[in-house]
Amino acid sequence: MTTITVNGKAVTVTATPDTPVLWVLRDELGMTGTKFGCGMALCGACTVHLNGEPVRSCSLPVSAAAGHKITTIEAMSVTPVGSAVQASWLALDVPQCGYCQSGQIMSASALLAKNRTPSDGDIDQAMAGNICRCGTYNQIRAAIKDAAASMSGRG
Amino acid sequence: MTTIFNWSSETECTAEVALGNPSRRDFLKVGGMALGGLTLAFALPGTNRLAQAAVGTFQPNAYLRIATDGQVTVTCGLSEMGQGVHTSIPMLIAEELDADWSSVRVEQAPVDKAFNNPYFKMQATGGSTSIRAHWQPMREAGAAARSMLVAAAAQTWKVPVSECRTESGQVIHGSGKSLAYGDLVTTAAKQDVPAKVVLKDPAQFRLLGRDQHRLDTPPKVDGSAKYGLDVRLPGMLTAVLARSPVPGGKVVSFDASKAKAVPGVRQVLQIPNGVAVLADGYWAARKGRDLLDIKWDAGPLASLSSSTISKMFTDAASKGGALARANGDVSTVKANHSIAATYEAPYLSHSCMEPLNCTASVTADGVEIWAGTQSQGPAQGILSHVAGVAPGKVKINTMYLGGGYGRRFAPDFTIDAVLLAKAAGKPVKLVYTREDDTRAYFYRPAGVTQFSAGFDQAGEPIAFTAKVSSPSLMEASGFMKLPADGVDNFAVEGTRDQPYEFPNLRIEYARAEPGVQIWFWRSVGHSQNAFFVESFIDEMAAAAKADPYQFRRKLLDKEPRHRAVLDLAASAADWGKPLPAGVHRGIAVAESFGSFVAEVVEASVSADGGVKVHRVVCAVDCGHTVNPQIIRRQMESAIIYGMTAALYGKITFKDGRVEQGNFDSYPMVRINEVPRIEVHIMQSSEHPGGVGEPGLPAFAPALGNAIFAATGKRLRQLPLNTSELKRA
């Protein structure tokens, strides 16, 4: 039994301690917005926030997340940065197949939470761990800049 | 060759497989399509056979219904895999319906002959056929509904229909009064379905040809979109399967004791393709699978290696084969000078971001699957055979596809899921690990093409030969046969019909079968053949000391659509004008799937051989446009998919085993490598062409040609071996 905090709620899960957070979310908690792509932290599809930092949940044992705060795509709309990022993703119609986009949005939100005016180099660095097989990269870049602009406009 | 699966063959029928522009020779009549008892007639708009509309809705045909609140629901038989078909098909209907676009939603259809793809004569999504095949029938479906709504309004008002027009979900009378479609639902449902409808003049289009937001974006940005892997059924077990590490290998014996000791593991089952561990969730199933101790009989391909495969193709190409096309007589040409070159491409995995998976339930009532599949029609027949039930007892729930690119046209993963569910007596979700997915065959065919070209004293090309060697994808498909002339259409597409005019030309096909299961991969034969042909054309331009753009242009005198996109790309890229130091251009043009695409790539090569792609300018003529934003994005998507193949993509074999596994050994282009991409769409009133695949073929040759311009080195293999570019 491990207790983790997911999107603000403490939950006790029965998965074995070595089970990656990804599979706790998907198989035990039924939260399927976080995706499985590679299982080796190589593609970023499973990105969640651990205490606000982007992490690859496929390679994070649940035991290591005990007592920490996990945030997933399902809670992005209630965070100011997450909702701005989602609004830009919508406005620019970023997704194609869409499978990687939860992870892309989680990485982008983590970037913008720390850096409201990311350069192209900052975007490359923050987003290079997220593969998109459909090749929506230029739209992802544009949407991050759009979200940054919309947040600075508000702020 | 090794057969990894068999399509069931309950019904012999004829299928037309559309490979390109229907006006050319691209429709093939092929026999032996397995459809498992489906009838083949496309249900014409107007048939209200599929469903009894719920009370209070108007459902004139299988493709749309209108509710009293005015909401229009389009039922789409095509699979959404990122190409935008869940938006573009509703647009076709909404245009002729004069619907209010904001009131249109889309739902996925079940498997039913009403949703047969008119090009395939079966329910399937692929070959960049969706818009080409549905351009007319879906507009007719919308127009039929509109006509019935107008008749309903005219009846209500007791006026002639000729006094009524429609706009944005309303029927409007000449007097100015109007009725919303939602208010006409009951009366419209009582009207006769028109036998004939008149379609709009394209000049009257309000939606088509204009950017519209995708209908599938909202669920894809909040995590709620459901893909195959997201399916959860009560009592379901998750299965991870150990497959033979060598193509066609068989299980001799296995010890599952360690696997069964993993907490959460419930069953271990053997099926023809291997041994599966079934558990409460993925993690336990995966751990259990990795603890299986299996003794394999590797079979006849135990020593398969990429070097022997390469030699097999090269030897076959050298010998030549069946005649695919001839003009004039290359054997009598007295060339002043000539050139020759050998090109090679590897096997490729599709590597969809969503690893292959399928959830299946087999009960006394029949079979039900939940999967991201591109081939509902064939799957229904195949799975009925697998489970021993009538085709009508196979229900297919098509989920969003986390990428398809052709891979999800194959039935292998659905077959294994059904076999496991049947054996387990419980619903089973079969999940591939990333490594399983990469190593699950169904690869883009490898192959070799040998070219030669002869020039006269003036430097004009007078002879062109190509000898193509690759496996037969038609035979590998299980639903087509190699034609009597012995030429596989996919192996030579883009080569046999290369567009340049040469007085003497000879194209041959030499089939060679290393035994690896091959499959349709984004842009199919064009994915390697455009690289071969357009690189060699560039070699010919260099041999003729001609500008590569002008050399092509001159030989395309009789191919106006090729020439027009070539001109547009060259002009948009400022061909011939100076570039920053070290940056060089390459150009290529290719027709595929009814569309014409030219690309100019700007690239530089560093001293250590590193290639940087700075910019891609793409010009496309895909006929009438539906949603230009989707067209631009599909071109860009295919360019980046092609860039991964050009720079990194290769599946290789050693001792019968695939050497690649995860994204570390089978890398993908990432955001920091992506160039600026500009897409220019030609205005055209031609029948629509495909857009999902045609952006891919021209990229690799345009890049290779830019590298040649930069370095003088001609790279003739995919992926481009940039280590050859190192300057000592």
Side-chain angles (χ1 to χ4, degrees), chain B residues 103-301:
Chain B
S103 70
V104 177
R105 61 184 285 273
V106 62
E107 66 181 17
Q108 182 74 45
V111 56
D112 189 285
K113 69 176 182 182
F115 299 102
N116 280 359
N117 180 325
Y119 274 24
F120 291 143
K121 309 286 191 245
M122 59 182 178
Q123 190 176 339
T125 311
S128 295
T129 60
S130 296
I131 296 301
R132 293 190 280 161
H134 293 90
W135 171 248
Q136 184 161 330
M138 289 302 111
R139 287 163 64 220
E140 286 173 351
R146 177 190 165 277
S147 154
M148 293 163 77
L149 288 158
V150 169
Q155 186 181 42
T156 305
W157 290 326
K158 299 186 173 57
V159 300
V161 294
S162 59
E163 292 178 8
C164 303
R165 64 187 177 87
T166 52
E167 192 179 324
S168 197
Q170 299 187 84
V171 183
I172 302 164
H173 182 247
S175 65
K177 63 187 170 185
S178 64
L179 278 167
Y181 285 179
D183 295 330
L184 289 164
V185 157
T186 310
T187 322
K190 293 174 188 152
Q191 305 299 314
D192 288 334
V193 175
K196 261 188 153 176
V197 290
V198 179
L199 297 178
K200 284 184 187 174
D201 179 332
Q204 307 303 313
F205 287 161
R206 295 181 171 111
L207 281 174
L208 302 187
R210 292 172 171 79
D211 291 351
Q212 308 295 336
H213 282 294
R214 291 176 65 123
L215 297 179
D216 60 341
T217 303
K220 288 179 175 178
V221 304
D222 66 9
S224 65
K226 294 296 180 204
Y227 299 83
L229 203 61
D230 301 331
V231 171
R232 294 160 56 86
L233 300 179
M236 175 184 88
L237 296 175
T238 300
V240 178
L241 178 64
R243 293 171 193 77
S244 169
V246 175
K250 298 285 174 223
V251 175
V252 176
S253 62
F254 68 94
D255 175 359
S257 52
K258 284 183 192 159
K260 284 179 174 167
V262 173
V265 168
R266 302 295 168 197
Q267 299 186 40
V268 176
L269 297 171
Q270 186 178 354
I271 59 173
N273 259 346
V275 182
V277 174
L278 286 67
D280 294 335
Y282 171 85
W283 188 243
R286 164 82 194 258
K287 277 203 289 187
R289 193 282 301 267
D290 291 350
L291 289 169
L292 287 171
D293 184 7
I294 304 172
K295 190 181 283 181
W296 297 99
D297 171 5
L301 298 179

Side-chain angles (χ1 to χ4, degrees), chain B residues 583-600:
Chain B
V583 180
H584 295 264
R585 293 190 186 93
I587 194 167
V589 61
E591 175 202 359
S592 60
F593 309 94
S595 292
F596 299 76
V597 174
E599 289 167 24
V600 173

Side-chain angles (χ1 to χ4, degrees), chain A residues 18 20 23 26-27 32 35 37-38 40 42 86 91-93 96-99 128 133-134 137-139, chain B residues 82 213-214 217 220-221 226-227 229-230 232 282 287 350-351 434 629 633-634 636-637 662 669-670 675:
Chain A
D18 64 331
W23 299 107
R26 292 182 55 85
D27 283 352
T32 55
K35 301 304 186 195
C38 71
M40 285 178 64
L42 295 168
Q86 286 177 318
L92 275 68
D93 272 321
Q96 290 185 22
C97 93
Y99 191 79
R133 191 66 165 131
C134 299
Y137 296 121
N138 285 333
Q139 288 73 49
Chain B
H213 282 294
R214 291 176 65 123
T217 303
K220 288 179 175 178
V221 304
K226 294 296 180 204
Y227 299 83
L229 203 61
D230 301 331
R232 294 160 56 86
Y282 171 85
K287 277 203 289 187
H350 304 69
S351 297
R434 172 55 55 191
Q629 174 178 279
R633 299 282 172 84
Q634 283 306 298
E636 188 159 345
S637 171
N662 214 308
V669 162
R670 292 170 184 264

Side-chain angles (χ1 to χ4, degrees), chain B residues 593-658:
Chain B
F593 309 94
S595 292
F596 299 76
V597 174
E599 289 167 24
V600 173
V601 168
E602 295 175 4
S604 58
V605 180
S606 62
D608 65 355
V611 171
K612 180 165 176 58
V613 182
H614 300 271
R615 180 184 182 214
V616 181
V617 176
C618 168
V620 54
D621 170 5
C622 56
H624 269 298
T625 62
V626 175
N627 191 335
Q629 174 178 279
I630 289 178
I631 295 167
R632 291 191 298 271
R633 299 282 172 84
Q634 283 306 298
M635 293 302 127
E636 188 159 345
S637 171
I639 286 166
I640 294 171
Y641 202 87
M643 186 173 164
T644 286
L647 292 174
Y648 306 126
K650 61 175 173 188
I651 291 289
T652 55
F653 286 86
K654 189 182 177 191
D655 299 330
R657 288 161 162 78
V658 175

Side-chain angles (χ1 to χ4, degrees), chain A residues 7-29:
Chain A
N7 298 337
K9 278 189 196 159
V11 288
T12 301
V13 298
T14 60
T16 55
D18 64 331
T19 307
V21 166
L22 171 66
W23 299 107
V24 173
L25 291 172
R26 292 182 55 85
D27 283 352
E28 187 163 349
L29 302 177

